[in-house]
Amino acid sequence: MELFFLAVLIVIMASALASGYPVAFALPGSAIISILLAAGAGYLVTGNVDAYFHSGGPSQWLTAGVTNLRGVYWEVERDTLIAIPLFIFMGIMLQRSKIAEDLLVTMAQLFGSVPGGLGISVVFVGALLAATTGIVGATVVAMGLISLPAMLRNNYSQSLATGTIAASGTLGQIIPPSIVLIILADQLASASDQASTARKALYKDATGELSMPSVFDVASTSAGEMFLGAFVPGILLVLIYMVYILIFAILRPKSAPAVPYTGARDAAFWGNVVLTLVPPLALIFLVLGSIIAGIATVNQAGAIGAAGALIMAGYRITEQNKTTYYPAILAIFSLGLIGFALSNYDMNVKAVLLNEGGDSTGLTIGIIAVVLLLISLVWSAVRVLKIENTLHEVMIETAKTTSLVFIILLGAAMLTAAFRAFGGEELVRDFLNSLPGGFWTQFLIVMLVIFVLGFFLDFIEIAVVVVPIVAPILLADPQANITAVWLGVMIGLNIQTSFLTPPFGFALFYLRGVAPAIVKTVQIYKGVIAFIALQILALGIVAYYPQLVNYLPNRMSFLSEKSPPPRNPRLQQCLEEYVRQEVANDRDAITEAIARAQALDLAILPKSQSSGLSSAFASADKAIGLLDEITATEAAVVEATDVYRPALAQVRKLQKGMRELEDEIARLEKSGRYMSGENVQARRDKIKARVEVLKDKRDQIAAQVPDSWKATHETFSALTRAELQARNSYRRAADDAVEPVSEMLAVLADNTGFFELEAQLTGLRGVIADGQPAGAEEALDQVGKAFGQLAGANTVSSALSKARRAMRGSSPDRAKAMAEYDKAVATYQDQKTWRASADSRLKPGLEAYLAALSETIGARQQTRLSRSQALYLAGCNSVHRDLSLNF
């Protein structure tokens, strides 16, 4: 019956959407109606309202809306959604300020002389508007009103002209900042958590281990990563459009002729070009650049964009006079002043207020600059409000659009909950997992479903209804081991086609509404076919080269101030590849540096220190050899993979079927134990018979497991254990090769402070012998703490601490305190001797040793990755690695 009510849910939702009922109410309404119907049917037929639910009951699933309301509006982890109204305000304000019109005219003048120049200009402007407004309807309408008549006047093919405008207007869905990417990031963050749980369960079932190594876990994503990941694919799609138009114009020049600019390209012309291009490009740089550089979060970048759009509107829609640009000039001046203050002064407000440092001059400059910036914003806002009440209308439109998005988010959450309540998610999972061909078959089916849904649904419905269902299944698959950001960008590229595909392609409706009567609807439909094909081509390229998506987020992460440390478990395999490559290129120099270090005279050091350094140099030699062992064991695993993989796939499929039968057996046995009412025994006997049938099926499946599987598995496991042991041995040796040397250099770096404490240490003798116990205790405490802060001086500090304790209490033991003090002095003198010698005779050699190993064997001991390491790891981690052999 669960399947029946699942079908009822889908039919109600589809009927509501097909009838034109608002999506914001169709999604939660269909969920509520189907849940109430299932609960009522269960109560009437069985007396149990939970009877026809796959899991839980109606009360649990009806509260999903309340739970998700709290999640959307109050959970700190989902604060990315705050950026949605900011970017919507930015887009609507720029659309009202006629930026599109200025850009289109200027770009047509610049590129008109190129074959297909008008079409290329439309694509270029579409990309710029996508990076500023991101509003499909506004972009398509603006370009349709301005460019389409010009293209038709110059004998452009109707299908090419309309297709170019419609496709270029949809670029805002994939080029950041994009509302679609923000919504996808939010949905994928939740999906990643579910996928992580599923993968851990899969690992436990496959290996019997209770915990899964973190390197096998599913990584989540954020709106910032989605923006970075979509940047290169978005540019790729723009270039594909431009190349297509150029080739079309060359092959069919009469259908896309060049339109040379007839005016003079004088100073006034170029001044207008600069004034038209620089502001939107500057806004793009501020919004996207601040995210890419790690200066601002997505929310902060949204605020920057909203403020920039308000200032641009303030001078664009107002009457042109000598004061037109004053607010913009004031804003630029204030931003420059803020940059100057941040670059030249310590702007720690708390430190200044508490007199703990900081610079009051810089803080004053910063306050003045902020006040000036606020004045420019208020000035611009007043202008925009006075002119045709624009600001009020933009705010109302922003509120409407934002409310629509959030209501759809909440409604979709309820729909998804109802879908899961009737077992829909497990049904989808079982269907996808049953498909031959593994992950890529599943992925192609999902992408095809999303593509087809794009014919009928808007991007928001697809993002919030389909993604929560299919994304956890795809992300959990260890075979492809895809990243969430890559999946999000692929879905974003696919969703983009929903604006172009008939019969409900919204971009087609927008363009039809502003196109002249001479342009037939069939020409618009014909025109977008080529661009849909180009989008599918872009999808194929990004699917084949995941580095196009993954590289930029990795690069920004590894080069940022908050980059993961080199010892991060997820980085080790790629870091070892980098080390092997560097050692292979520079092995002689590294070996020579180790030999020079081994030749150092360590006799001047105490035995413990000298033996530690000797072991470190030996570990460096050992680590180089272990790199070769890693290479050999890795090659052995790869060689055995071809034989092992088919056997693993066969057995895991059989074991999966056995687990499903065992789960069903457990469910039936549990239901039989808790039965009540009439004919209980007859029903129990029926369940018992069913259980016996299922056990027979389970035993039949178990018999299909090849007899050779155990030996095959143990042989391959031995190879993987050997590789893991080689890697762990290398990591220990690499750490041992560096840690003692770093500790010794830290000791020598504190020599100055160590020697300066000699006078204070010597002066303690008289205090202990003749001073007041309380005063002696305090003096010993101060000097002991001073030694405790120095590397390698713990023995001196420990002896002074014992002397201090001897002086404590009502009956201090001066003799014991003096004995401990004498030990501290003797220890100090010993250290003083070897520290001074080591500083001049060993320190340069040890520093040269570390410098020679820092990029290779010593990489794990660095506080952060070097630039060359970060760039290599960014590329290495951009590839999807198959983890299925570990499951």
Side-chain angles (χ1 to χ4, degrees):
M1 289 299 292
E2 293 96 333
L3 295 181
F4 172 77
F5 286 106
L6 177 63
V8 169
L9 170 68
I10 295 173
V11 169
I12 294 175
M13 180 190 67
S15 300
L17 293 176
S19 66
Y21 199 75
V23 175
F25 303 106
L27 300 184
S30 57
I32 292 172
I33 292 172
S34 59
I35 286 176
L36 291 177
L37 287 175
Y43 179 77
L44 292 175
V45 176
T46 67
N48 182 7
V49 294
D50 299 346
Y52 297 140
F53 287 83
H54 183 74
S55 61
S59 60
Q60 173 185 341
W61 298 108
L62 285 176
T63 56
V66 178
T67 302
N68 284 280
L69 175 67
R70 183 176 66 250
V72 170
Y73 284 100
W74 281 286
E75 283 186 13
V76 177
E77 291 80 1
R78 301 185 72 176
D79 67 339
T80 300
L81 296 177
I82 296 172
I84 291 177
L86 294 171
F87 284 121
I88 290 175
F89 175 88
M90 170 185 166
I92 296 175
M93 183 61 75
L94 288 175
Q95 183 263 328
R96 295 294 181 90
S97 63
K98 302 179 181 179
I99 297 295
E101 181 178 342
D102 294 344
L103 286 171
L104 283 167
V105 172
T106 303
M107 289 299 99
Q109 294 171 350
L110 283 175
F111 293 103
S113 59
V114 178
L118 286 180
I120 293 174
S121 299
V122 169
V123 174
F124 185 82
V125 172
L128 288 181
L129 294 177
T132 52
T133 67
I135 299 176
V136 172
T139 304
V140 173
V141 169
M143 293 195 297
L145 287 172
I146 302 164
S147 294
L148 185 55
M151 297 173 81
L152 295 178
R153 281 197 308 269
N154 289 281
N155 299 318
Y156 263 68
S157 163
Q158 288 187 9
S159 60
L160 177 65
T162 55
T164 301
I165 292 172
S168 300
T170 65
L171 289 171
Q173 300 306 297
I174 193 61
I175 295 180
S178 165
I179 304 302
V180 178
L181 296 178
I182 296 175
I183 295 174
L184 283 172
D186 179 69
Q187 298 297 318
L188 287 169
S190 301
S192 297
D193 294 338
Q194 297 175 42
S196 176
T197 302
R199 187 176 288 187
K200 289 174 182 176
L202 179 63
Y203 186 83
K204 180 181 178 181
D205 290 338
T207 65
E209 300 289 338
L210 296 178
S211 61
M212 182 181 72
S214 60
V215 294
F216 298 155
D217 208 350
V218 179
S220 186
T221 187
S222 65
E225 287 186 336
M226 288 295 294
F227 283 5
L228 291 171
F231 186 77
V232 174
I235 299 302
L236 172 67
L237 192 57
V238 170
L239 293 176
I240 289 175
Y241 285 174
M242 289 183 172
V243 170
Y244 166 74
I245 294 170
L246 182 61
I247 294 174
F248 186 95
I250 292 173
L251 296 178
R252 300 177 61 182
K254 293 183 179 180
S255 297
V259 185
Y261 176 59
T262 57
R265 295 182 183 269
D266 51 13
F269 170 81
W270 291 111
N272 180 63
V273 170
V274 171
L275 191 60
T276 302
L277 285 179
V278 169
L281 288 174
L283 187 61
I284 293 170
F285 174 79
L286 286 174
V287 174
L288 296 184
S290 60
I291 297 173
I292 292 173
I295 298 172
T297 64
V298 173
N299 295 340
Q300 294 164 344
I304 293 171
L310 184 61
I311 291 172
M312 289 173 64
Y315 71 75
R316 177 61 184 83
I317 65 177
T318 192
E319 183 180 349
Q320 301 296 303
N321 54 50
K322 64 179 183 180
T323 64
T324 298
Y325 296 98
Y326 281 5
I329 294 172
L330 184 60
I332 294 171
F333 173 76
S334 61
L335 289 175
L337 207 58
I338 292 173
F340 171 79
L342 290 173
S343 301
N344 295 278
Y345 298 98
D346 181 5
M347 301 292 286
N348 190 324
V349 178
K350 182 179 179 181
V352 173
L353 295 177
L354 298 179
N355 295 319
E356 296 178 353
D359 196 316
S360 58
T361 303
L363 187 58
T364 303
I365 295 174
I367 293 173
I368 293 172
V370 170
V371 170
L372 293 177
L373 182 58
L374 289 175
I375 291 173
S376 70
L377 286 171
V378 173
W379 193 349
S380 299
V382 171
R383 281 183 170 184
V384 177
L385 181 61
K386 285 183 177 181
I387 299 172
E388 298 179 358
N389 207 24
T390 302
L391 180 59
H392 178 266
E393 293 180 0
V394 169
M395 295 293 288
I396 293 296
E397 194 67 27
T398 300
K400 288 180 179 178
T401 307
T402 303
S403 299
L404 176 65
V405 171
F406 275 73
I407 291 173
I408 291 175
L409 282 172
L410 297 173
M414 292 192 68
L415 179 72
T416 304
F419 189 80
R420 289 171 177 154
F422 300 126
E425 187 175 31
E426 290 191 12
L427 190 67
V428 172
R429 183 187 300 111
D430 292 341
F431 168 72
L432 291 177
N433 289 334
S434 66
L435 293 173
F439 169 84
W440 287 107
T441 302
Q442 301 172 14
F443 179 73
L444 288 174
I445 293 296
V446 168
M447 296 301 283
L448 181 61
V449 169
I450 292 175
F451 180 78
V452 173
L453 287 176
F455 284 54
F456 311 99
L457 300 180
D458 192 4
F459 69 93
I460 298 179
E461 294 94 272
I462 296 174
V464 299
V465 174
V466 179
V467 172
I469 296 171
V470 300
I473 301 170
L474 297 177
L475 290 172
D477 193 312
Q479 179 185 5
N481 190 32
I482 59 173
T483 60
V485 63
W486 178 84
L487 179 61
V489 171
M490 290 294 293
I491 293 174
L493 279 169
N494 198 349
I495 287 177
Q496 186 178 345
T497 62
S498 68
F499 280 92
L500 297 180
T501 49
F504 301 116
F506 293 100
L508 308 180
F509 290 152
Y510 296 140
L511 186 57
R512 175 66 277 173
V514 298
I518 192 176
V519 178
K520 304 300 181 183
T521 302
V522 68
Q523 292 296 329
I524 298 177
Y525 283 8
K526 286 175 58 179
V528 298
I529 292 175
F531 289 92
I532 293 173
L534 294 176
Q535 288 177 343
I536 295 174
L537 173 63
L539 268 173
I541 293 173
V542 176
Y544 192 76
Y545 295 102
Q547 301 93 319
L548 294 174
V549 174
N550 295 328
Y551 177 76
L552 196 54
N554 286 340
R555 179 188 174 101
M556 292 301 108
S557 173
F558 295 154
L559 290 176
S560 70
E561 292 295 328
K562 298 180 180 179
S563 63
R567 293 177 70 96
N568 187 300
R570 286 181 172 274
L571 305 182
Q572 295 314 299
Q573 185 169 352
C574 285
L575 187 61
E576 283 157 13
E577 289 181 15
Y578 174 83
V579 171
R580 279 188 285 175
Q581 177 180 296
E582 292 298 306
V583 169
N585 294 337
D586 207 16
R587 192 181 190 110
D588 292 340
I590 295 171
T591 304
E592 184 180 348
I594 297 172
R596 286 197 301 268
Q598 291 172 331
L600 293 172
D601 182 11
L602 303 180
I604 60 177
L605 298 175
K607 185 176 180 180
S608 59
Q609 277 86 353
S610 63
S611 62
L613 291 177
S614 297
S615 298
F617 304 148
S619 295
D621 270 334
K622 181 181 178 182
I624 292 179
L626 287 170
L627 286 173
D628 297 332
E629 186 174 342
I630 290 175
T631 303
T633 54
E634 187 179 58
V637 170
V638 172
E639 184 178 354
T641 296
D642 291 340
V643 175
Y644 180 71
R645 189 184 298 278
L648 176 69
Q650 178 189 3
V651 172
R652 293 294 183 244
K653 184 177 181 180
L654 294 173
Q655 291 174 342
K656 179 176 178 294
M658 293 167 59
R659 284 196 302 270
E660 291 174 350
L661 290 173
E662 288 171 354
D663 291 341
E664 180 66 14
I665 290 170
R667 188 184 69 82
L668 290 172
E669 290 177 341
K670 182 179 179 180
S671 66
R673 285 194 297 269
Y674 295 102
M675 279 185 175
S676 60
E678 300 179 357
N679 301 322
V680 172
Q681 189 59 45
R683 289 156 60 191
R684 284 179 176 170
D685 291 341
K686 186 176 180 180
I687 290 176
K688 184 177 180 181
R690 176 62 179 165
V691 167
E692 292 300 324
V693 172
L694 294 177
K695 287 182 178 180
D696 288 340
K697 288 184 178 180
R698 181 195 61 189
D699 295 340
Q700 291 173 11
I701 294 175
Q704 297 177 34
V705 176
D707 296 334
S708 61
W709 164 245
K710 185 176 181 180
T712 302
H713 179 64
E714 288 179 353
T715 301
F716 189 81
S717 297
L719 295 175
T720 56
R721 285 196 300 270
E723 181 188 357
L724 180 60
Q725 182 178 354
R727 292 185 184 278
N728 289 335
S729 297
Y730 162 76
R731 292 164 191 170
R732 286 193 296 269
D735 293 343
D736 293 341
V738 174
E739 284 179 349
V741 180
S742 298
E743 291 171 0
M744 177 55 65
L745 287 174
V747 169
L748 299 180
D750 283 347
N751 273 356
T752 301
F754 186 85
F755 297 149
E756 289 175 350
L757 289 176
E758 183 174 12
Q760 296 183 43
L761 180 64
T762 305
L764 289 175
R765 183 177 297 277
V767 175
I768 296 172
D770 305 319
Q772 292 294 327
E777 183 182 354
E778 182 179 356
L780 285 165
D781 182 57
Q782 290 179 354
V783 178
K785 286 182 178 178
F787 275 107
Q789 294 176 356
L790 301 175
N794 289 336
T795 52
V796 179
S797 176
S798 177
L800 292 177
S801 179
K802 292 178 182 178
R804 175 179 58 81
R805 289 195 294 271
M807 295 298 294
R808 183 186 301 168
S810 57
S811 55
D813 189 344
R814 292 184 185 270
K816 182 178 179 181
M818 188 61 72
E820 294 296 338
Y821 168 75
D822 288 337
K823 290 180 182 178
V825 172
T827 302
Y828 177 86
Q829 293 299 329
D830 290 341
Q831 283 204 27
K832 179 181 177 182
T833 301
W834 66 258
R835 276 175 179 260
S837 299
D839 194 65
S840 59
R841 296 166 58 183
L842 294 181
K843 187 176 180 180
L846 296 178
E847 289 177 340
Y849 170 84
L850 278 188
L853 267 61
S854 63
E855 278 292 302
T856 53
I857 297 172
R860 280 170 49 85
Q861 293 299 312
Q862 299 176 117
T863 56
R864 58 177 300 171
L865 297 167
S866 68
R867 181 174 179 82
S868 58
Q869 291 167 348
L871 294 179
Y872 182 90
L873 264 61
C876 179
N877 280 283
S878 298
V879 179
H880 297 152
R881 296 177 182 271
D882 184 357
L883 301 178
S884 60
L885 296 179
N886 300 285
F887 286 77

